[in-house]
């Protein structure tokens, strides 16, 4: 309650400052309090800060992996439109009054963007010296070099698709800042040239550039989606939409009903994209129109007057989040990755009574949101504000010298890390070896018998994965990625049996189809076609079980009993809040053998007890993988006495050796024939 009261007090203080700035009709983007605005500059609008809050919270939800906001990446597109609107209004205003200065414009951009960015880069770089291993440090140094020089979009274009392996790049989110800076490096010069050489043609030029940029976005989404995502020329139209809005190219909404309809439709477009889009949605291209046009409608409606949506967006907590949105955007992603790496507070460090009331995944969300908000508030209060309106509001040569010095410092750090191969000697050799462990995907038959999001059921090899051996007993393993990780152990351990595999990522093995299209296709085929036509000696069910799975699991087991098909239910495996190999490496580096156990989450043990009770009730054979691998205080972490191979490839999936070890352990207990 005290923290909440303090937050509201800060919000009220911010609100008072905002009202004063609005009364003076100054632009929060460019002018400190007390400096009078010029004609044409946009007045401060609380609803735009509220829209910023919607954008940054959407991005955070996506990066945190919240299932209800898988399209949250469109928040960046909302930011682009807002930025284009505010900055273009200032440029065009200064051009029309004859006061535009390239140097002054770049000075404002440096003051707005660089201090908080540089603070994040330097602090996180210092953190990597204690938490990153050599290979990671070299890759991080390359991305730091790109981020500090505003070309990170080109770096990530060459190294990774945005949705491919985001956890490998703590500075991945800086790609959008690079796109903006590249746009604003060229756009003012272009407008200045048009104003001097082709007076009166500015609007036509902006429209033409918008159309060309959007066309390139549509084309490249089909030809090369990664290029379409990262390139400034495929994104420029989103910023130019804001420019067209700022220069009065959209109809005025003078009637209250028009503003309400437009703003409600616009907000609905943004939220629909957040909720409906997926990482597999072709983007940007046509798909980006929904959040971008939605942003235009909201901003235009608020520009012409009040509306219900603008009042909602002007709610004080939203406005406050909008005010700190830039710092929140900068800090949330590194904090999320630090937490996922096992660096931050583990759940076991919390009081037991609190732990019993919070699910581990919710605990992760709480930690990541809380620390991100704290870092954002501190960054906004002590870095953004002093450089923009306080004692550090430098200008001219002093500001440019500061920016150049920090860039040089980042370049020197990056060059040193790359040249030395990641600053060797920081971590013991044994820790480096365990941290670099990667379990190959081939044993899990990914892309043939295990369908992941980058594949589809068209790739499923029915003949290979569902081959019946007339000389052996035939068992069918059905489930998600956990079943795929268990298959190597079953196939190698049950030498007298033939274990078939039907695995789809994040797919529950239920007789009533649910989940993704591939999941529904697979489970429909298995339970409605394959098993009725090809009698098997038993079904193995394995999944990353959750409490809400019990009704569907019960239905599936009862269906199997009615059809006289034996069922073996495999319980959950031990899980950690970070990759086990990384936790083991830290335990070696920091001489703390208990470190992995501190990061083991309690949910699988609780779920194991629930499934054991269900199996007893339904009289079905149950195998507790958790009890086979864990005692009261310790779980198996290595599969060998020499501690060379972790049992887990990440935080909750067996390695191939781990799978074989687990099955042999179960067989040693007499749980499998």
């Amino acid at each position: 309650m005290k923290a909440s009261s303090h937050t509201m007090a800060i919000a009220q203080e911010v609100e008072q400052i905002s009202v004063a700035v609005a009364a003076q009709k100054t632009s929060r983007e460019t002018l400190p309090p007390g400096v009078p605005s010029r004609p044409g500059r946009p007045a401060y609008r609380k609803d735009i800060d509220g829209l910023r809050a919607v954008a940054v919270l959407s991005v955070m939800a996506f990066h945190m992996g919240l299932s209800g906001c898988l399209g949250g990446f469109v928040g960046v597109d909302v930011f682009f439109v807002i930025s284009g609107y505010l900055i273009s209004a200032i440029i065009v205003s200064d051009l029309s009054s004859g006061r535009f200065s390239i140097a002054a414009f770049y000075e404002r951009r440096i003051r707005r963007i660089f201090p908080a960015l540089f603070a994040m880069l330097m602090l996180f770089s210092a953190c990597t010296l204690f938490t990153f291993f050599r290979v990671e440090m070299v890759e991080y140094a390359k991305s730091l070099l790109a981020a500090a020089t505003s070309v990170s979009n080109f770096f990530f274009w060459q190294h990774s698709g945005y949705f491919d392996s985001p956890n490998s790049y703590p500075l991945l989110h800086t790609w959008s800042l690079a796109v903006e800076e590249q746009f604003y490096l060229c756009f003012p010069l272009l407008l200045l040239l048009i104003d001097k050489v082709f007076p009166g043609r500015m609007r036509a030029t902006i429209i033409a550039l918008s159309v060309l940029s959007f066309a390139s976005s549509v084309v490249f989404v089909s030809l090369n989606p990664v290029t379409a995502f990262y390139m400034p020329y495929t994104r420029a139209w989103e910023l130019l939409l804001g420019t067209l809005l700022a220069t009065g190219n959209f109809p005025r909404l003078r009637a209250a009903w028009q503003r309400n309809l437009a703003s409600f439709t616009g907000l609905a477009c943004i939220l629909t994209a957040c909720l409906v889009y997926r990482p597999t949605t072709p983007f940007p291209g046509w798909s980006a129109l929904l959040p971008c046009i939605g942003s235009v409608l909201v901003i235009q409606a608020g520009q012409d007057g009040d509306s219900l949506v603008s009042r909602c967006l002007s709610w004080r907590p939203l406005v406050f989040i909008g005010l700190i949105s830039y710092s929140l955007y900068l800090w949330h992603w590194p904090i999320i990755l630090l937490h996922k790496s096992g660096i931050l507070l583990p759940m076991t460090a919390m009081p037991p009574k609190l732990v019993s009331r919070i699910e581990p995944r919710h605990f992760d969300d709480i930690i990541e949101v809380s620390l991100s908000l704290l870092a954002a508030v501190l960054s906004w209060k002590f870095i953004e504000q002093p450089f923009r309106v306080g004692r550090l509001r430098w200008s001219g040569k002093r500001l440019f010298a500061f920016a150049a010095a920090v860039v040089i410092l980042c370049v020197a750090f990056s060059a040193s890390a790359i040249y030395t191969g990641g600053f060797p000697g920081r971590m013991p050799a044994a820790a480096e070896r365990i941290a670099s462990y990667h379990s190959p995907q081939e044993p899990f038959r990914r892309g043939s018998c295990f369908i992941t999001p980058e594949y589809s059921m068209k790739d499923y090899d029915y003949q290979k994965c569902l081959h019946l051996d007339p000389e052996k007993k035939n068992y069918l393993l059905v489930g998600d990625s956990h079943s795929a990780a268990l298959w190597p152990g079953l196939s190698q351990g049950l030498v007298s049996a033939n274990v078939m595999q039907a695995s789809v990522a994040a797919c529950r093995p239920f007789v009533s189809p649910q989940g993704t299209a591939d999941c529904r296709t697979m489970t429909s085929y298995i339970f409605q076609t394959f098993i009725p036509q090809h009698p098997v000696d038993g079904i193995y069910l394995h999944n990353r079980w959750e409490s809400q799975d019990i009704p569907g699991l019960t239905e599936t087991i009862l269906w199997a009993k009615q059809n006289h098909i034996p069922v073996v239910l495999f319980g959950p495996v031990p899980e950690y809040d970070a990759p086990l190999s990384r936790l083991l490496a830290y335990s070696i580096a920091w001489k703390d053998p208990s470190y992995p156990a501190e990061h083991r989450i309690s949910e699988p043990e609780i779920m194991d007890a629930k499934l054991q009770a269900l199996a007893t009730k339904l009289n079905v054979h149950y195998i507790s993988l958790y009890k086979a691998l864990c005692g009261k205080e310790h779980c198996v972490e290595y599969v060998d006495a020499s501690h060379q191979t972790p049992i887990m490839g990440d935080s909750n999936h067996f390695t191939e050796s781990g799978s074989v070890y687990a099955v042999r352990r179960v067989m040693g207990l007499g749980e499998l024939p």
Side-chain angles (χ1 to χ4, degrees), residues 246-545:
T247 51
N249 289 278
F250 293 92
R252 300 297 300 271
L253 304 172
R254 302 185 185 279
W257 71 267
Q258 293 175 325
R259 295 193 298 272
N260 279 301
L261 178 61
S263 58
F264 179 81
T265 302
L267 187 60
C269 288
I270 296 170
L271 296 180
T272 297
C274 291
L275 299 175
V276 174
Y277 285 4
R278 297 288 183 270
T280 54
T281 301
F283 202 87
W286 291 104
S287 300
L289 276 177
L290 192 62
C292 290
I293 294 299
S295 303
V296 168
L297 290 172
V298 172
I299 296 171
Q300 177 68 42
Q303 180 174 265
D304 291 330
D306 197 17
S307 71
L308 178 59
V309 168
S310 69
R311 289 195 294 272
C312 291
L313 292 176
S314 299
W315 186 41
R316 286 181 178 179
L318 276 182
V319 171
F320 180 65
I321 293 174
L323 288 168
I324 65 170
S325 60
Y326 176 57
S327 285
L328 186 56
Y329 181 80
L330 287 177
W331 280 104
H332 81 280
W333 183 232
I335 285 174
I336 288 173
L337 291 196
L338 282 177
H339 185 59
K340 292 184 184 301
S341 298
I343 301 298
L344 302 181
L345 189 68
M347 194 168 184
T348 52
M350 303 300 291
K353 290 184 178 179
L354 180 62
V355 170
S356 64
R357 297 179 181 179
I358 303 176
E359 290 187 12
R361 289 159 197 164
H362 293 161
F363 174 81
D364 292 342
D365 297 339
I366 292 170
I367 290 295
E368 291 164 8
V369 169
S370 300
L371 292 180
S372 296
L373 286 173
L374 176 62
V377 170
L378 294 176
S379 175
W380 173 78
K381 181 71 174 178
F382 297 108
I383 299 174
E384 282 194 69
Q385 292 299 94
F387 271 94
R388 291 172 59 193
V389 298
R391 65 185 184 280
L392 298 178
R393 193 177 185 274
W394 300 333
S395 59
K397 293 181 179 179
R398 189 180 186 186
L399 182 64
F400 286 105
F402 160 75
V406 178
V407 170
I408 291 171
L409 183 63
C410 291
V411 170
F413 180 93
S414 299
S416 300
I418 295 169
Y419 178 76
T420 60
F423 298 128
R426 294 175 298 109
M427 301 281 190
E432 292 279 1
R433 175 180 52 77
I434 291 296
S436 63
Y437 184 87
H438 292 287
S439 179
Q441 294 296 315
E442 289 78 10
F444 310 138
R445 304 199 289 185
R446 182 173 179 172
S448 57
C449 302
F450 172 34
I451 302 303
T452 53
E454 61 267 34
Y455 298 96
S456 71
M457 282 301 295
K458 294 179 181 178
D459 302 299
Y460 186 74
D461 192 335
Y462 291 84
Q463 184 174 0
K464 170 185 174 181
C465 309
L466 299 177
H467 171 70
L468 289 162
D469 188 337
E471 304 296 326
K472 298 179 178 180
K473 288 188 174 182
N474 293 280
Y475 297 100
L476 175 59
L477 173 65
V478 190
D480 63 357
S481 57
H482 280 214
S483 71
L486 185 63
W487 184 84
L490 291 173
S491 63
Q492 294 180 43
L494 301 178
V495 293
S496 61
N498 172 49
V499 182
M500 299 172 285
Q501 182 185 0
S503 304
V504 178
C507 181
R508 288 161 172 76
F510 295 160
V511 68
S512 295
Q514 56 180 260
T516 64
D518 286 332
C519 179
R520 295 193 301 271
T521 299
M522 174 69 87
T523 52
S524 295
Y525 176 75
I526 291 298
F527 291 110
Q528 298 175 19
T529 303
F530 180 78
I531 293 178
Q533 296 179 4
H534 305 83
V536 296
D537 295 288
I539 302 175
Y540 292 157
L541 299 178
H542 188 37
N543 214 71
R544 191 183 188 188
W545 302 112

Side-chain angles (χ1 to χ4, degrees), residues 578-622:
L580 179 59
S581 59
R582 192 174 196 89
L583 297 173
L584 292 170
Y586 286 145
S587 72
I588 296 170
W590 300 337
K591 297 180 174 58
D592 184 3
S594 65
Y595 195 76
E598 293 172 358
H599 288 263
R600 190 172 67 248
I601 62 178
S602 59
E603 192 174 29
E605 184 177 11
I606 297 171
M607 196 65 220
D608 183 62
K610 291 181 179 179
L611 291 175
Q612 179 73 70
L614 176 68
T616 301
K617 177 182 178 182
L618 299 179
N619 192 27
V620 66
H621 188 55
Y622 180 71

Side-chain angles (χ1 to χ4, degrees), residues 185-203:
L185 181 66
C186 303
F187 186 59
L189 296 174
L190 178 63
L191 290 185
L192 189 62
L193 177 65
I194 296 169
D195 187 56
K196 297 294 184 183
V197 181
F198 303 106
R201 301 288 182 86
M202 187 176 295
R203 178 177 298 182

